[in-house]
Structures are given as structure tokens and as C-alpha cells.
Short mmCIF file of all heavy atoms in Angstrom, two decimals:
data_model
loop_
_atom_site.label_atom_id
_atom_site.label_comp_id
_atom_site.label_asym_id
_atom_site.label_seq_id
_atom_site.Cartn_x
_atom_site.Cartn_y
_atom_site.Cartn_z
N SER A 226 265.10 139.01 -110.22
CA SER A 226 264.69 139.06 -111.63
C SER A 226 263.49 138.15 -111.90
O SER A 226 263.12 137.93 -113.05
CB SER A 226 265.86 138.63 -112.52
OG SER A 226 266.28 137.31 -112.20
N GLY A 227 262.91 137.60 -110.85
CA GLY A 227 261.84 136.62 -111.01
C GLY A 227 260.48 137.24 -111.29
O GLY A 227 260.29 138.45 -111.20
N GLN A 228 259.55 136.37 -111.62
CA GLN A 228 258.18 136.78 -111.91
C GLN A 228 257.31 136.55 -110.68
O GLN A 228 257.31 135.45 -110.12
CB GLN A 228 257.63 135.97 -113.09
CG GLN A 228 256.18 136.28 -113.43
CD GLN A 228 255.64 135.36 -114.51
OE1 GLN A 228 256.37 134.52 -115.04
NE2 GLN A 228 254.37 135.50 -114.84
N VAL A 229 256.57 137.56 -110.28
CA VAL A 229 255.62 137.42 -109.17
C VAL A 229 254.32 136.86 -109.72
O VAL A 229 253.79 137.37 -110.70
CB VAL A 229 255.38 138.77 -108.46
CG1 VAL A 229 254.31 138.62 -107.38
CG2 VAL A 229 256.68 139.28 -107.85
N ASN A 230 253.81 135.82 -109.11
CA ASN A 230 252.59 135.19 -109.60
C ASN A 230 251.35 135.98 -109.21
O ASN A 230 251.33 136.68 -108.19
CB ASN A 230 252.47 133.75 -109.09
CG ASN A 230 252.41 133.67 -107.57
OD1 ASN A 230 253.11 134.38 -106.87
ND2 ASN A 230 251.56 132.78 -107.07
N ALA A 231 250.33 135.89 -110.02
CA ALA A 231 249.06 136.54 -109.72
C ALA A 231 248.50 135.98 -108.42
O ALA A 231 248.40 134.76 -108.24
CB ALA A 231 248.07 136.31 -110.86
N GLY A 232 248.14 136.86 -107.50
CA GLY A 232 247.60 136.44 -106.21
C GLY A 232 248.62 136.39 -105.08
O GLY A 232 248.27 136.06 -103.95
N ALA A 233 249.87 136.75 -105.36
CA ALA A 233 250.93 136.57 -104.38
C ALA A 233 250.69 137.34 -103.08
O ALA A 233 251.05 136.85 -102.00
CB ALA A 233 252.27 136.99 -104.98
N THR A 234 250.08 138.51 -103.15
CA THR A 234 249.88 139.29 -101.92
C THR A 234 248.78 138.70 -101.03
O THR A 234 248.63 139.11 -99.89
CB THR A 234 249.55 140.77 -102.23
OG1 THR A 234 248.41 140.83 -103.10
CG2 THR A 234 250.74 141.45 -102.88
N LEU A 235 248.04 137.75 -101.56
CA LEU A 235 247.07 137.01 -100.75
C LEU A 235 247.71 135.75 -100.19
O LEU A 235 247.50 135.37 -99.03
CB LEU A 235 245.84 136.63 -101.58
CG LEU A 235 245.13 137.76 -102.31
CD1 LEU A 235 243.93 137.21 -103.06
CD2 LEU A 235 244.71 138.85 -101.35
N PHE A 236 248.51 135.08 -101.02
CA PHE A 236 249.07 133.80 -100.61
C PHE A 236 250.15 133.94 -99.55
O PHE A 236 250.25 133.11 -98.65
CB PHE A 236 249.66 133.07 -101.83
CG PHE A 236 248.73 132.96 -102.99
CD1 PHE A 236 249.21 133.01 -104.29
CD2 PHE A 236 247.36 132.79 -102.81
CE1 PHE A 236 248.36 132.91 -105.38
CE2 PHE A 236 246.49 132.68 -103.89
CZ PHE A 236 247.00 132.74 -105.18
N LEU A 237 250.97 135.00 -99.65
CA LEU A 237 252.09 135.13 -98.72
C LEU A 237 251.65 135.35 -97.27
O LEU A 237 252.23 134.74 -96.35
CB LEU A 237 253.04 136.22 -99.18
CG LEU A 237 254.25 135.74 -99.99
CD1 LEU A 237 255.18 134.87 -99.15
CD2 LEU A 237 253.83 134.97 -101.24
N PRO A 238 250.65 136.19 -96.97
CA PRO A 238 250.21 136.28 -95.57
C PRO A 238 249.69 134.95 -95.03
O PRO A 238 249.97 134.59 -93.88
CB PRO A 238 249.11 137.34 -95.61
CG PRO A 238 249.44 138.19 -96.80
CD PRO A 238 249.99 137.23 -97.80
N LEU A 239 248.94 134.22 -95.85
CA LEU A 239 248.46 132.90 -95.43
C LEU A 239 249.63 131.98 -95.12
O LEU A 239 249.66 131.28 -94.10
CB LEU A 239 247.60 132.29 -96.53
CG LEU A 239 246.17 132.81 -96.69
CD1 LEU A 239 245.60 132.45 -98.05
CD2 LEU A 239 245.28 132.25 -95.58
N MET A 240 250.63 131.99 -96.00
CA MET A 240 251.76 131.08 -95.87
C MET A 240 252.68 131.46 -94.72
O MET A 240 253.11 130.60 -93.93
CB MET A 240 252.53 131.05 -97.18
CG MET A 240 253.49 129.89 -97.32
SD MET A 240 254.37 129.88 -98.91
CE MET A 240 253.00 129.79 -100.04
N LEU A 241 252.99 132.75 -94.60
CA LEU A 241 253.89 133.19 -93.53
C LEU A 241 253.28 132.92 -92.16
O LEU A 241 253.97 132.46 -91.24
CB LEU A 241 254.21 134.67 -93.70
CG LEU A 241 255.18 135.00 -94.84
CD1 LEU A 241 255.12 136.49 -95.20
CD2 LEU A 241 256.61 134.60 -94.47
N THR A 242 251.99 133.20 -91.99
CA THR A 242 251.34 132.92 -90.71
C THR A 242 251.32 131.42 -90.45
O THR A 242 251.59 130.97 -89.32
CB THR A 242 249.91 133.48 -90.70
OG1 THR A 242 249.96 134.90 -90.79
CG2 THR A 242 249.18 133.09 -89.41
N SER A 243 251.00 130.64 -91.45
CA SER A 243 250.96 129.18 -91.30
C SER A 243 252.29 128.64 -90.80
O SER A 243 252.34 127.87 -89.84
CB SER A 243 250.60 128.55 -92.65
OG SER A 243 250.79 127.15 -92.64
N TYR A 244 253.38 129.05 -91.43
CA TYR A 244 254.68 128.51 -91.07
C TYR A 244 255.20 129.10 -89.76
O TYR A 244 255.91 128.42 -89.00
CB TYR A 244 255.68 128.74 -92.21
CG TYR A 244 255.35 127.98 -93.47
CD1 TYR A 244 255.91 128.34 -94.69
CD2 TYR A 244 254.48 126.88 -93.46
CE1 TYR A 244 255.61 127.64 -95.86
CE2 TYR A 244 254.17 126.19 -94.62
CZ TYR A 244 254.74 126.57 -95.82
OH TYR A 244 254.45 125.88 -96.97
N GLN A 245 254.85 130.35 -89.46
CA GLN A 245 255.21 130.92 -88.17
C GLN A 245 254.53 130.14 -87.04
O GLN A 245 255.16 129.84 -86.02
CB GLN A 245 254.82 132.40 -88.11
CG GLN A 245 255.11 133.07 -86.78
CD GLN A 245 256.59 133.23 -86.49
OE1 GLN A 245 257.43 133.09 -87.37
NE2 GLN A 245 256.92 133.52 -85.23
N LYS A 246 253.25 129.82 -87.22
CA LYS A 246 252.52 129.06 -86.20
C LYS A 246 253.09 127.65 -86.05
O LYS A 246 253.15 127.10 -84.94
CB LYS A 246 251.04 129.00 -86.55
CG LYS A 246 250.32 130.33 -86.56
CD LYS A 246 250.10 130.89 -85.17
CE LYS A 246 249.22 132.13 -85.20
NZ LYS A 246 249.01 132.70 -83.84
N ALA A 247 253.48 127.04 -87.17
CA ALA A 247 253.95 125.66 -87.13
C ALA A 247 255.38 125.54 -86.61
O ALA A 247 255.69 124.63 -85.83
CB ALA A 247 253.86 125.05 -88.52
N TYR A 248 256.26 126.47 -87.04
CA TYR A 248 257.68 126.31 -86.76
C TYR A 248 258.24 127.36 -85.80
O TYR A 248 259.30 127.16 -85.21
CB TYR A 248 258.48 126.33 -88.07
CG TYR A 248 257.92 125.39 -89.11
CD1 TYR A 248 257.53 125.86 -90.37
CD2 TYR A 248 257.73 124.04 -88.84
CE1 TYR A 248 257.00 125.00 -91.32
CE2 TYR A 248 257.20 123.17 -89.79
CZ TYR A 248 256.83 123.66 -91.03
OH TYR A 248 256.30 122.81 -91.95
N GLY A 249 257.56 128.49 -85.68
CA GLY A 249 257.93 129.51 -84.70
C GLY A 249 259.18 130.30 -85.00
O GLY A 249 259.65 131.05 -84.13
N ASN A 250 259.75 130.17 -86.20
CA ASN A 250 261.04 130.80 -86.47
C ASN A 250 261.10 131.56 -87.79
O ASN A 250 262.18 131.86 -88.29
CB ASN A 250 262.14 129.74 -86.46
CG ASN A 250 261.95 128.68 -87.55
OD1 ASN A 250 261.00 128.74 -88.33
ND2 ASN A 250 262.85 127.71 -87.59
N ILE A 251 259.95 131.89 -88.35
CA ILE A 251 259.94 132.59 -89.64
C ILE A 251 260.30 134.06 -89.45
O ILE A 251 260.98 134.66 -90.28
CB ILE A 251 258.57 132.45 -90.33
CG1 ILE A 251 258.19 130.96 -90.47
CG2 ILE A 251 258.57 133.14 -91.67
CD1 ILE A 251 259.21 130.13 -91.25
N TYR A 252 259.87 134.65 -88.35
CA TYR A 252 260.24 136.03 -88.02
C TYR A 252 260.15 136.23 -86.52
O TYR A 252 259.44 135.49 -85.82
CB TYR A 252 259.34 137.04 -88.75
CG TYR A 252 257.85 136.76 -88.67
CD1 TYR A 252 257.10 137.08 -87.53
CD2 TYR A 252 257.17 136.20 -89.75
CE1 TYR A 252 255.74 136.84 -87.47
CE2 TYR A 252 255.81 135.95 -89.69
CZ TYR A 252 255.09 136.27 -88.55
OH TYR A 252 253.74 136.02 -88.49
N SER A 253 260.90 137.22 -86.05
CA SER A 253 260.82 137.60 -84.63
C SER A 253 259.71 138.61 -84.41
O SER A 253 259.08 138.65 -83.36
CB SER A 253 262.15 138.19 -84.17
OG SER A 253 263.18 137.22 -84.24
N ALA A 254 259.51 139.46 -85.41
CA ALA A 254 258.42 140.44 -85.40
C ALA A 254 257.90 140.56 -86.82
O ALA A 254 258.64 140.33 -87.79
CB ALA A 254 258.92 141.79 -84.91
N THR A 255 256.63 140.91 -86.96
CA THR A 255 256.05 141.01 -88.30
C THR A 255 256.77 142.04 -89.16
O THR A 255 256.82 141.91 -90.39
CB THR A 255 254.56 141.36 -88.23
OG1 THR A 255 254.40 142.57 -87.46
CG2 THR A 255 253.77 140.24 -87.58
N THR A 256 257.39 143.03 -88.53
CA THR A 256 258.14 144.04 -89.28
C THR A 256 259.39 143.47 -89.94
O THR A 256 259.98 144.12 -90.80
CB THR A 256 258.52 145.22 -88.37
OG1 THR A 256 259.16 144.70 -87.19
CG2 THR A 256 257.30 146.02 -87.97
N ASP A 257 259.78 142.27 -89.55
CA ASP A 257 260.91 141.62 -90.21
C ASP A 257 260.58 141.25 -91.65
O ASP A 257 261.48 141.16 -92.49
CB ASP A 257 261.31 140.34 -89.48
CG ASP A 257 261.85 140.59 -88.09
OD1 ASP A 257 262.26 141.73 -87.81
OD2 ASP A 257 261.87 139.63 -87.29
N VAL A 258 259.30 141.02 -91.91
CA VAL A 258 258.92 140.54 -93.25
C VAL A 258 257.96 141.47 -93.98
O VAL A 258 257.97 141.53 -95.21
CB VAL A 258 258.32 139.12 -93.17
CG1 VAL A 258 259.36 138.13 -92.70
CG2 VAL A 258 257.09 139.06 -92.29
N TYR A 259 257.12 142.21 -93.24
CA TYR A 259 256.10 143.05 -93.87
C TYR A 259 256.47 144.53 -93.81
O TYR A 259 256.97 145.01 -92.78
CB TYR A 259 254.75 142.88 -93.17
CG TYR A 259 254.15 141.50 -93.30
CD1 TYR A 259 254.15 140.63 -92.21
CD2 TYR A 259 253.57 141.07 -94.48
CE1 TYR A 259 253.58 139.36 -92.29
CE2 TYR A 259 253.00 139.81 -94.59
CZ TYR A 259 253.02 138.97 -93.48
OH TYR A 259 252.46 137.70 -93.58
N GLN A 260 256.19 145.23 -94.87
CA GLN A 260 256.34 146.68 -94.87
C GLN A 260 255.21 147.31 -94.04
O GLN A 260 254.16 146.70 -93.80
CB GLN A 260 256.26 147.23 -96.30
CG GLN A 260 257.42 146.84 -97.20
CD GLN A 260 257.43 147.62 -98.50
OE1 GLN A 260 257.21 148.83 -98.50
NE2 GLN A 260 257.71 146.93 -99.61
N SER A 261 255.46 148.55 -93.63
CA SER A 261 254.40 149.36 -93.01
C SER A 261 253.47 149.85 -94.13
O SER A 261 253.94 150.18 -95.22
CB SER A 261 255.02 150.55 -92.28
OG SER A 261 254.02 151.37 -91.73
N PRO A 262 252.15 149.86 -93.90
CA PRO A 262 251.42 149.61 -92.66
C PRO A 262 250.97 148.16 -92.49
O PRO A 262 250.28 147.83 -91.53
CB PRO A 262 250.19 150.51 -92.82
CG PRO A 262 249.90 150.43 -94.30
CD PRO A 262 251.25 150.38 -94.97
N TYR A 263 251.36 147.29 -93.41
CA TYR A 263 250.81 145.93 -93.45
C TYR A 263 251.27 145.08 -92.27
O TYR A 263 250.57 144.14 -91.87
CB TYR A 263 251.16 145.26 -94.77
CG TYR A 263 250.89 146.15 -95.95
CD1 TYR A 263 251.92 146.57 -96.78
CD2 TYR A 263 249.60 146.64 -96.19
CE1 TYR A 263 251.68 147.43 -97.84
CE2 TYR A 263 249.35 147.50 -97.25
CZ TYR A 263 250.40 147.89 -98.07
OH TYR A 263 250.17 148.75 -99.11
N ALA A 264 252.43 145.41 -91.70
CA ALA A 264 252.95 144.62 -90.60
C ALA A 264 252.01 144.61 -89.40
O ALA A 264 252.01 143.65 -88.61
CB ALA A 264 254.32 145.16 -90.17
N ALA A 265 251.20 145.64 -89.25
CA ALA A 265 250.32 145.74 -88.08
C ALA A 265 249.21 144.70 -88.07
O ALA A 265 248.73 144.31 -87.00
CB ALA A 265 249.72 147.14 -87.99
N THR A 266 248.81 144.24 -89.24
CA THR A 266 247.62 143.36 -89.31
C THR A 266 247.84 142.08 -90.10
O THR A 266 246.99 141.19 -90.06
CB THR A 266 246.44 144.12 -89.93
OG1 THR A 266 246.83 144.63 -91.22
CG2 THR A 266 245.99 145.27 -89.05
N ALA A 267 248.95 141.95 -90.82
CA ALA A 267 249.09 140.84 -91.77
C ALA A 267 249.03 139.47 -91.12
O ALA A 267 248.48 138.52 -91.69
CB ALA A 267 250.41 140.99 -92.54
N GLU A 268 249.58 139.33 -89.92
CA GLU A 268 249.63 138.01 -89.29
C GLU A 268 248.25 137.44 -89.00
O GLU A 268 248.05 136.22 -89.03
CB GLU A 268 250.45 138.08 -88.00
CG GLU A 268 250.66 136.73 -87.37
CD GLU A 268 251.55 136.79 -86.13
OE1 GLU A 268 251.15 137.45 -85.15
OE2 GLU A 268 252.64 136.20 -86.16
N THR A 269 247.29 138.31 -88.74
CA THR A 269 245.94 137.85 -88.41
C THR A 269 244.92 138.23 -89.48
O THR A 269 243.72 138.22 -89.22
CB THR A 269 245.51 138.45 -87.06
OG1 THR A 269 245.58 139.88 -87.13
CG2 THR A 269 246.41 137.96 -85.93
#
């Protein structure tokens, strides 16, 4: 029921990649978090 902030689709790829690189446990595969077709390129 929450409000999505303006810019969220830009901030989340930056943040998910950042934390995956730092902690290594955010996802096993990009498809765990991203819908198709975005999972193919979102991490980079």
C-alpha cells in the first residue's frame, strides 16, 4: 500500500548492484529481483 518515490526505477538498479557487489547475497540471479526483459541488463 506504499508510495513509490519519483525516480525509483533509476535508484533501485544502482542500489541492488551496489549491495550485491558489497555483500554478495542480495540475489542468486538477476531474475530473482528483476522482471523480464530488465533482468538481462539491469545489473550492469
Side-chain angles (χ1 to χ4, degrees):
S226 59
Q228 177 186 357
V229 176
N230 61 320
T234 56
L235 306 181
F236 309 146
L237 264 295
L239 283 162
M240 195 179 301
L241 286 163
T242 296
S243 169
Y244 294 162
Q245 177 69 14
K246 296 288 187 180
Y248 310 123
N250 62 1
I251 305 302
Y252 48 79
S253 296
T255 55
T256 51
D257 295 341
V258 295
Y259 295 106
Q260 293 191 43
S261 178
Y263 313 117
T266 55
E268 186 176 63
T269 58

